Amino acid sequence: MLNDRSSLLALLETRRSAKPREMVGPAPTPDELERMLAIAARSPDHGNMAPWRFVTIADDQRDALARLLHRTLAEEDPSATPAHYEKAEQFAHYSGALVVLVSAPVEDHKIPVWEQQLSCGAAGMNLLLAAHALGYVAGWVTGWQAYSKRVRAALCHPGERIAGFIFIGHPGTEIFERPRPLLERVWRAWSPPQELLKP
Ligand SMILES: Cc1cc2nc3c(=O)[nH]c(=O)nc-3n(C[C@H](O)[C@H](O)[C@H](O)COP(=O)(O)O)c2cc1C
């Protein structure tokens, strides 16, 4: 349990994603999943719009998801090979809980859609952190499934889009740290132009 600042920092400094295809069970319990989603819903959100949705796909709905992906491949990708169908089958049955993160921005609102999409990303990040804090790993993937019209229509309401499929379980293999960007590449101190240096 995280009860002090150093363990919170350790959590932030050690969280890593796992590859969903390598994940194993058990999945979070319903109570744990609800807790993770409640944490994800505590995300920065200009205008209190909650411009994101969490669509959970239960274990006994994974066959239906596989059917959806197969039918989508048949309709949208005539060049799909048996290997593509096999991959889709595996995707639908990856271990762990499956949360589809959905971006649900309101168009023509005073809060720009861009900001609403950023909030969705923050909700996804919080979900990854919550999973890690509860002793799980998570993996956020997109792939063609996230961009297919048919999959979108099956999982989203009109005007929504898929931000990612987030699988939450346990690592099936050791997960290695990936290279992180050097801070000097992503951090710079602002150099104001000369005219701003004078009062
Ligand atoms: C929006 C988004 C989409 C992603 N889509 C994929 C994907 O399709 N396939 C994949 O292997 N990883 C995908 N990833 C995960 C990253 O490739 C990578 O595994 C992850 O950022 C690892 O970093 P971490 O350990 O800091 O979480 C995605 C991540 C994000 C944020």
Side-chain angles (χ1 to χ4, degrees):
M1 200 50 156
L2 292 168
N3 52 12
D4 63 36
R5 187 168 294 174
S6 62
S7 50
L8 176 56
L9 287 169
L11 173 111
L12 294 171
E13 287 169 344
T14 59
R15 185 210 57 80
R16 288 171 299 184
S17 291
K19 288 188 185 353
R21 66 171 181 276
E22 293 173 357
M23 268 162 42
V24 295
T29 64
D31 282 353
E32 287 173 326
L33 185 60
E34 187 173 334
R35 195 168 179 192
M36 290 175 199
L37 294 176
I39 291 169
R42 292 177 54 84
S43 293
D45 165 15
H46 189 185
N48 290 322
M49 308 191 56
W52 17 261
R53 304 285 179 267
F54 309 114
V55 179
T56 49
I57 298 186
D59 282 356
D60 63 2
Q61 296 173 325
R62 297 299 194 93
D63 287 341
L65 177 64
R67 257 173 245 126
L68 168 67
L69 299 181
H70 283 208
R71 288 173 195 174
T72 303
L73 272 178
E75 184 179 291
E76 295 182 358
D77 186 1
S79 65
T81 64
H84 289 103
Y85 283 89
E86 179 54 28
K87 266 181 96 172
E89 183 73 23
Q90 288 169 2
F91 180 94
H93 292 99
Y94 286 158
S95 294
L98 172 52
V99 179
V100 186
L101 176 64
V102 168
S103 170
V106 177
E107 301 273 349
D108 302 319
H109 190 278
K110 70 175 176 170
I111 307 297
V113 165
W114 161 237
E115 294 189 20
Q116 299 181 52
Q117 290 169 333
L118 289 174
S119 179
C120 180
M125 184 68 233
N126 260 354
L127 182 56
L128 301 188
L129 285 169
H132 188 52
L134 281 156
Y136 292 85
V137 287
W140 176 342
V141 291
T142 45
W144 67 265
Q145 300 89 329
Y147 297 98
S148 145
K149 268 193 191 160
R150 184 167 176 158
V151 176
R152 177 176 174 170
L155 297 173
C156 298
H157 291 153
E160 299 178 348
R161 64 185 295 188
I162 297 170
F165 296 86
I166 299 182
F167 291 86
I168 304 169
H170 295 276
T173 58
E174 193 178 346
I175 41 176
F176 294 101
E177 179 60 347
R178 69 181 174 94
R180 302 290 165 176
L182 291 172
L183 263 191
E184 56 260 35
R185 186 158 77 80
V186 295
W187 173 19
R188 66 172 178 263
W190 185 42
S191 306
Q194 275 300 321
E195 68 267 24
L196 293 180
L197 294 176
K198 294 174 233 130

